[in-house]
């Protein structure tokens, strides 16, 4: 009986021990699952933080690229056109957007630090370094904006001075052109102005223009002045009787034609040649 009791006790003890081991194994498995989930979560958080840092660095690279272009424009001596001004403003807006994006990402990293104590040291130093770069970049961009604004003012002043100079030069040119035009006109009038007198024999004699007048001699104190290109003789002047020239003119430059009604028409056929002698005295009674 005693032996049978010992056997039963041993079986009960074995069953109890097995039950205790099963509970411990289940607890350990649960702990492992929890740790695995926490580890996966930490890995995901770390990857997100790394991705955020990479995005911040990419933004810095783009800011630097835009900054280099603006620096070249700020140091250039060339004028800034309206198209370039619009482009510059778009570049500044792009940079400002990148600054805001970096600021937001750095804020999110700092928030993550407060929840993830294990990564505080290294990540906090990284965030501080990135914030320092962000501050420096902002200062550099502000300096570039100021340089470009000053250059725009300088260019505007130069343009105003240039425009004033152009206006002065244009006014001077217009005045010179006007003077030259007046001189040319005066020279043209003088070149083509001639003197003429058409009268009958009696009046010419009374004026002393007939007696003693030699070929080529010109007495124009009684003469009228006219632009020979507009002289009426170019279209023909009719006389009652045949007129007589008292001044010398090439015979090929004029003609005197007798008409059917026994009148005569005097016509200058080559004015330039005819008026090589600047004065004409013609005797005859006009119709």
């Amino acid at each position: 009986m005693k032996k049978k009791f010992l056997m039963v006790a041993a079986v009960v003890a074995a069953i109890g021990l097995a039950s205790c081991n099963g509970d411990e194994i289940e607890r350990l498995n649960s702990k492992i699952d929890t740790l695995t989930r926490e580890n996966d979560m930490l890995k995901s958080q770390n990857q997100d933080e790394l991705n955020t840092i990479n995005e911040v660095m990419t933004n810095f690279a783009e800011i630097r690229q835009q900054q280099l272009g603006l620096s070249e424009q700020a140091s250039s001596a060339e004028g800034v056109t309206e198209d370039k001004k619009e482009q510059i403003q778009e570049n500044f807006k792009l940079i400002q957007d990148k600054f805001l994006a970096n600021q937001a990402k750095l804020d999110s990293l700092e928030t993550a630090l407060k929840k993830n104590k294990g990564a505080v040291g290294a990540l906090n130093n990284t965030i501080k370094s990135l914030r320092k770069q962000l501050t420096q970049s902002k200062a550099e961009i502000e300096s570039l904006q100021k340089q470009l604004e000053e250059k725009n003012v300088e260019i505007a002043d130069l343009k105003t001075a240039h425009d004033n100079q152009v206006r002065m030069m244009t006014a001077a040119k217009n005045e010179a052109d006007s003077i030259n035009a007046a001189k040319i006109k005066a020279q043209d009038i003088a070149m083509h102005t001639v003197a003429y007198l058409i009268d009958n024999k009696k009046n010419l004699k009374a004026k002393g223009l007939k007696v003693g007048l030699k070929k080529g001699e010109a007495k124009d104190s009684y003469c009228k002045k006219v632009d020979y290109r507009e002289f009426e003789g170019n279209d023909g002047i009719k006389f009652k009787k045949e007129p007589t020239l008292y001044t010398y003119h090439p015979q090929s430059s004029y003609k005197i034609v007798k008409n059917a009604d026994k009148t005569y028409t005097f016509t200058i056929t080559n004015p330039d040649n005819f008026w090589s002698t600047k004065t004409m005295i013609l005797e005859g009674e006009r119709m």
Side-chain angles (χ1 to χ4, degrees):
M1 183 68 180
K2 185 176 181 180
K3 183 176 182 181
K4 186 176 181 179
F5 175 79
L6 290 173
M7 289 179 65
V8 172
V11 170
V12 171
I15 292 172
L17 179 61
S19 177
C20 290
N21 288 338
D23 291 341
E24 182 65 19
I25 290 172
E26 185 177 350
R27 187 181 68 80
L28 291 175
N29 285 334
S30 176
K31 183 66 173 179
I32 289 171
D33 290 340
T34 301
L35 291 174
T36 300
R37 286 194 298 273
E38 290 179 353
N39 184 58
D40 291 341
M41 186 181 298
L42 288 174
K43 284 183 178 180
S44 178
Q45 289 178 350
N46 289 338
Q47 187 61 46
D48 289 342
E49 292 163 359
L50 288 174
N51 291 340
T52 300
I53 292 173
N54 287 334
E55 290 176 9
V56 170
M57 297 306 295
T58 299
N59 285 345
F60 273 127
E62 293 179 3
I63 290 171
R64 176 58 61 183
Q65 184 178 4
Q66 294 294 333
Q67 185 177 350
L68 289 174
L70 292 171
S71 296
E72 292 177 359
Q73 290 171 325
S75 60
S76 173
E78 297 179 357
V80 179
T81 63
E82 290 300 323
D83 291 341
K84 284 187 178 179
K85 285 182 181 178
E86 291 181 5
Q87 183 181 359
I88 289 171
Q89 292 302 321
E90 289 178 1
N91 289 342
F92 275 127
K93 185 178 183 305
L94 176 61
I95 290 173
Q96 188 63 31
D97 291 342
K98 296 297 181 183
F99 280 147
L100 293 175
N102 276 1
Q103 184 69 51
K105 292 183 185 302
L106 291 176
D107 289 343
S108 70
L109 283 175
E110 286 186 334
T111 300
L113 275 178
K114 295 176 182 178
K115 298 178 180 179
N116 187 3
K117 300 297 182 180
V120 170
L123 191 55
N124 192 41
N125 290 335
T126 300
I127 292 174
K128 286 182 178 179
S129 176
L130 292 174
R131 284 197 183 279
K132 183 177 180 181
Q133 291 184 47
L134 188 64
T135 301
Q136 290 175 345
S137 293
K138 283 184 177 180
E140 291 172 358
I141 293 301
E142 289 174 358
S143 176
L144 280 175
Q145 281 183 307
K146 185 176 180 180
Q147 290 180 48
L148 286 168
E149 288 172 0
E150 291 174 350
K151 181 171 287 293
N152 286 338
V153 171
E154 179 183 351
I155 290 171
D157 291 342
L158 290 174
K159 185 177 184 301
T160 300
H162 175 265
D163 291 344
N164 290 337
Q165 187 176 10
V166 168
R167 280 194 292 270
M168 291 174 62
M169 292 176 66
T170 301
K173 182 180 181 300
N174 291 339
E175 183 178 0
D177 289 345
S178 177
I179 293 172
N180 289 335
K183 286 182 178 179
I184 291 171
K185 184 177 181 180
Q187 291 171 355
D188 180 71
I189 292 174
M191 183 184 300
H192 295 92
T193 296
V194 294
Y196 76 97
L197 178 61
I198 301 174
D199 211 341
N200 58 41
K201 181 186 297 185
K202 180 180 179 180
N203 290 335
L204 290 177
K205 185 176 180 180
K207 294 173 183 177
L209 297 176
K210 181 181 177 183
V211 179
L213 188 64
K214 299 178 181 179
K215 286 186 178 182
E217 185 178 351
K219 293 184 179 180
D220 60 0
S221 57
Y222 297 101
C223 297
K224 296 178 181 180
K225 301 291 179 66
V226 68
D227 185 328
Y228 72 73
R229 293 168 295 188
E230 301 173 0
F231 181 53
E232 58 183 324
N234 298 340
D235 298 322
I237 304 173
K238 292 187 73 174
F239 291 88
K240 293 180 180 180
K241 296 181 180 181
E242 183 177 2
T244 302
L245 274 171
Y246 283 96
T247 46
Y248 174 76
H249 303 273
Q251 290 185 356
S252 61
S253 64
Y254 68 95
K255 62 182 179 180
I256 300 175
V257 178
K258 185 176 182 180
N259 303 313
D261 61 355
K262 297 183 179 181
T263 61
Y264 289 83
T265 300
F266 169 82
T267 305
I268 296 175
T269 58
N270 188 338
D272 291 336
N273 195 14
F274 181 89
W275 292 106
S276 57
T277 300
K278 293 292 185 181
T279 303
M280 179 192 78
I281 297 176
L282 183 63
E283 177 199 298
E285 279 196 48
R286 301 178 62 163
M287 293 292 294

